[in-house]
Amino acid sequence: MRQEELDFVERAPRKWVLEEEVAAPPEAVFAAISADPSTWNGWFPGLSTGGYDGDGPHGVGSKRWVKMSGVTYRETMLAWDPPSRWAYRVDKSSAPIADALVEDWVIEPRGEGRSVVRWTFAIDPRALFKVGAPAAGTVMGRLFKKAMANLSEELSRRPQA
């Protein structure tokens, strides 16, 4: 896949921007989304496993892999700004869905102990993704809503620092 930078979210041929509230402060939300992706399987539907390459600390330039719904992705971190922004590009995918793909997660405070998470999914889609594109916004919207509800529930069970 084409190795795009963060500005791709502004010029991608297709993009979806979704927002959901999470019942946790931005620091807790950022820690959860930037954590080892193997921990995501408790809250992000379809994500079964993953990991960062090498030992931490991790940040911009770090590499990771995830497996979601049977597809494996290799990614490079493009933004790592705790507790407000975390983004990556997909460098490689086991399914030919895109020529380029960048995901940008922005976390903002929303009152006491709450956050709003804005997820931008920016893609230069290939034929395989284009076939499902008419339903993509609805499917991703439901997925993201469920993921953020699950994350709220998971974070509510964790001890507060």
Side-chain angles (χ1 to χ4, degrees):
M1 294 175 75
R2 216 171 44 245
Q3 296 193 354
E4 293 286 352
E5 297 301 324
L6 200 49
D7 67 336
F8 183 70
V9 299
E10 301 304 323
R11 56 183 175 74
R14 293 293 310 258
K15 79 176 173 182
W16 289 267
V17 180
L18 303 162
E19 278 191 12
E20 289 295 331
E21 200 167 292
V22 176
E27 295 78 9
V29 175
F30 185 89
I33 67 168
S34 64
D36 186 310
S38 66
T39 64
W40 283 39
N41 64 2
W43 59 270
F44 201 95
L47 199 143
S48 56
T49 189
Y52 282 101
D53 294 353
D55 296 328
H58 300 292
V60 172
S62 292
K63 308 277 188 186
R64 74 175 200 160
W65 65 278
V66 296
K67 189 169 188 175
M68 183 167 173
S69 302
V71 179
T72 301
Y73 301 92
R74 297 284 309 164
E75 303 164 343
T76 299
M77 298 302 115
L78 300 176
W80 194 291
D81 303 318
S84 59
R85 192 174 198 189
W86 182 78
Y88 58 86
R89 74 166 171 251
V90 175
D91 297 320
K92 216 175 191 183
S93 169
S94 64
I97 64 166
D99 288 322
L101 174 58
V102 170
E103 293 186 33
D104 186 20
W105 298 65
V106 174
I107 306 150
E108 297 174 345
R110 171 75 55 92
E112 186 66 30
R114 301 187 71 77
S115 303
V116 65
V117 179
R118 185 173 52 255
W119 179 44
T120 302
F121 184 92
I123 187 169
D124 182 358
R126 295 183 81 188
L128 183 62
F129 190 90
K130 287 179 183 178
V131 168
T138 301
V139 170
M140 287 190 294
R142 288 181 185 152
L143 173 75
F144 187 63
K145 185 177 189 71
K146 180 68 173 161
M148 295 301 99
N150 291 346
L151 182 59
S152 287
E153 185 177 324
E154 177 157 321
L155 292 175
S156 74
R157 293 190 301 260
R158 293 183 185 176
Q160 298 298 312

